[in-house]
Amino acid sequence: MVLGSRRPAGGRGTRPPGRPAGLKGFAYRRIKNDVRDAADLLRMGRLPETLNPPPPVRELRELVRYRAKLVALRSGLKSQVHAVRAKAGIPIPASDLFGIDGRARLEKTALVGPYAQGVTSLLKLIDELDTEEALFNTRIAERLQGHAGYQAIQQQPGIGTILAAILVAEIGDIHQFASPDRLCSWAGLAPRHY
């Protein structure tokens, strides 16, 4: 078979353009560089296609992903508060140290010197991140107000506003998937073993 030719549609071993198996042959070429490989793949119709979502979906993804970064930062700061408490040897009996009751107990704890300064600084940063997260929650809710998919997915048990926003932002237009199986495969939820 000549490189770049295709078998008839539906024949055994037919692979649509852009599949990884069609790219394997380029791994061991003697004269190899990205420009040459890309040109050859484009010429043969094997250059993998990617989905470039429209600007509103990209903007929603940016909001949702940035909010997740804020939450991760805040979690790290909370862990540092626990670490400072442990270093000082002061246990605070509260199931949620950063809830109303736990926070009141934390502020009454008699920490001294650098321990007290560290916890005070960390609590200020946590408060700032709480404010920023609330701001991004509002922005995300405004973007998704009236979004049919956002409302529908929240009807599933265990899916609230935040997880629904993440799913809508990452999936984008659900109609780009021909079937639920395609969506599961794209999301990596349908592993197959050959």
Side-chain angles (χ1 to χ4, degrees), residues 26-174:
F26 287 89
Y28 302 105
R29 290 173 47 167
R30 281 183 44 208
I31 302 172
K32 183 171 175 2
N33 63 43
D34 291 341
V35 173
R36 184 178 182 128
D37 290 348
D40 288 344
L41 289 170
L42 182 62
R43 176 181 54 79
M44 293 185 306
R46 293 187 176 184
L47 193 63
E49 294 179 15
T50 60
L51 175 68
N52 190 12
V57 174
R58 290 196 308 263
E59 290 168 4
L60 179 62
R61 283 181 185 174
E62 185 64 26
L63 288 172
V64 169
R65 290 173 182 174
Y66 189 75
R67 182 206 166 274
K69 288 179 184 179
L70 293 174
V71 170
L73 285 171
R74 186 183 59 198
S75 295
L77 295 174
K78 288 180 176 182
S79 294
Q80 289 181 42
V81 170
H82 285 285
V84 170
R85 251 188 45 244
K87 286 180 200 174
I90 301 175
I92 299 175
S95 60
D96 181 12
L97 187 59
F98 301 97
I100 296 170
D101 184 44
R103 188 74 180 253
R105 288 182 185 185
L106 183 61
E107 290 173 359
K108 290 178 184 176
T109 304
L111 290 170
V112 293
Y115 298 117
Q117 293 166 358
V119 168
T120 301
S121 174
L122 289 168
L123 292 176
K124 285 180 186 175
L125 291 171
I126 289 169
D127 290 341
E128 284 295 319
L129 287 173
D130 284 342
T131 303
E132 287 296 312
E133 181 197 353
L135 178 66
F136 275 84
N137 286 341
T138 303
R139 289 179 180 164
I140 292 167
E142 288 171 355
R143 290 252 175 172
L144 292 172
Q145 188 176 10
H147 189 284
Y150 177 67
Q151 302 300 327
I153 202 162
Q154 289 182 57
Q155 302 305 311
Q156 297 297 317
I159 297 184
T161 57
I162 301 302
L163 185 54
I166 292 169
L167 291 170
V168 168
E170 295 301 331
I171 292 171
D173 181 17
I174 192 73

